[in-house]
Each structure stands twice: as C-alpha cells, then as structure tokens.
Amino acid sequence: MRNKLKIAAALLLITFAAPSLSAADYFARDFGAVPDGVTLNTASIQAAIDFVSSHGGGRLILDKGDYVCGSFYLKSNVLLCIDGDSRILGSLNPFDYVRDPDAKWTAMIFAVGQENIGICGGGIIDGRGFDIAVRYTDFVHLGLMEDKLSNDRMVEQKRPESTSTSVPVSLSRT
C-alpha cells in the first residue's frame, strides 16, 4: 500500500509539473514580424530564434500570413512551426542571402552545428528559387552583380538552394 501511495504521489507530481517542463511557445509577430508578403522579416525572425534558443528553447510559431525572408539560422532547441495558414517566402533580393562560411553554400534556412531543431506545421516554405534566379539575372544586366558563368546563370553556390515543401501539423494560438 505504501508503494502504491508513493507511485500515485509521483504520478501526480509529474502530471502537475509536466506543463512547466515543456518548452514555451513564441510568436514571430511578437518580435516584429509582419506577415504581409512584402515586408522583409529576416531580422525579426532571427531575433526571435536567438531569443528562444537563449531562453532554453521552445516553438517559434509563424501564424496567419506570408513571411518574406532572406537567410536565417535555426539555433539549438528551437522548433520552427509554420501554421497551416502561413508561408515562408524567399526574398527576391539576392543581397538578402548569405553564403555561410562553414557550409560554403547559400541558403534561406541554415542550421550549422545545432542540436534539437526542427520545422513543423501545415504551412509552406517557398524559396521561390526560379524567381530569385530571374531577379539575379536582372541584377547582372543592371551591372549590380557579376555573372561569372557569362551565360545569365548565377553560380550555384551563390543561389539560395530551396524547394517548396509543406509539413502536416496544424497549430493554433492559445
């Protein structure tokens, strides 16, 4: 009987302590992200990721809208959640992307040397790869960028590697 009471007490403790052990939810809008499909949100999303990671981790939720971004880095213990009514859209400005010195590549979303990361949600990540390649060519013709291949095609390491994908989990703001 004594062991059953100890087990019951332990289960109650776990049940009531579990919510405090789970990671917190954070919303990109609370960090200044504007999901209007026009505003560049790279800095606000990166600031949110940095904050969530530095505060023990959690879910960064992008809800209801289109978030335009250049390159950003996922950090340890951050789960990037894209709500079913949301999209991350790659910026159409080639200067909004960085070439990571460790990866030696250009991308929209990096995670270099991180642990416990992920992307979830029912939303879409659309890197707009074709559109950014066309914009790059426009910039070459304007003399703003160099065409090292001399054929209106950007060097692959400079073009952000991206595809459109969706992940099947729905989120809600509570």
Side-chain angles (χ1 to χ4, degrees):
M1 180 70 171
R2 188 175 217 155
N3 283 340
K4 287 183 182 181
L5 285 175
K6 285 182 183 178
I7 292 172
L11 287 174
L12 279 173
L13 180 63
I14 289 170
T15 301
F16 289 111
S20 64
L21 296 175
S22 65
D25 286 349
Y26 302 89
F27 289 84
R29 290 175 191 249
D30 295 338
F31 292 85
V34 180
D36 61 3
V38 177
T39 303
L40 184 65
N41 291 292
T42 310
S44 58
I45 288 176
Q46 187 64 65
I49 290 168
D50 294 347
F51 179 88
V52 173
S53 180
S54 70
H55 285 80
R59 296 185 336 154
L60 177 61
I61 300 172
L62 281 66
D63 65 333
K64 299 179 189 133
D66 294 335
Y67 297 81
V68 176
C69 294
S71 296
F72 64 90
Y73 287 78
L74 286 177
K75 301 255 178 113
S76 291
N77 304 312
V78 176
L79 182 62
L80 180 63
C81 297
I82 308 160
D83 191 11
D85 296 331
S86 300
R87 295 186 302 171
I88 295 179
L89 300 175
S91 169
L92 296 180
N93 184 345
F95 294 109
D96 290 335
Y97 297 93
V98 299
R99 183 173 191 261
D100 183 83
D102 295 321
K104 297 185 180 14
W105 211 260
T106 303
M108 182 169 57
I109 303 173
F110 286 104
V112 179
Q114 303 302 308
E115 298 177 339
N116 304 319
I117 61 168
I119 299 174
C120 70
I124 293 172
I125 299 172
D126 183 352
R128 304 195 290 185
F130 178 79
D131 296 328
I132 187 68
V134 169
R135 182 62 59 93
Y136 176 86
T137 301
D138 292 343
F139 278 34
V140 167
H141 291 191
L142 291 169
L144 300 172
M145 298 186 94
E146 181 182 356
D147 179 8
K148 289 186 178 182
L149 299 176
S150 300
N151 63 358
D152 285 343
R153 183 167 179 255
M154 82 172 36
V155 176
E156 288 180 356
Q157 293 87 351
K158 284 191 168 191
R159 180 175 58 89
E161 292 297 308
S162 59
T163 59
S164 293
T165 186
S166 53
V167 281
V169 176
S170 63
L171 304 172
S172 63
R173 187 172 190 162
T174 54

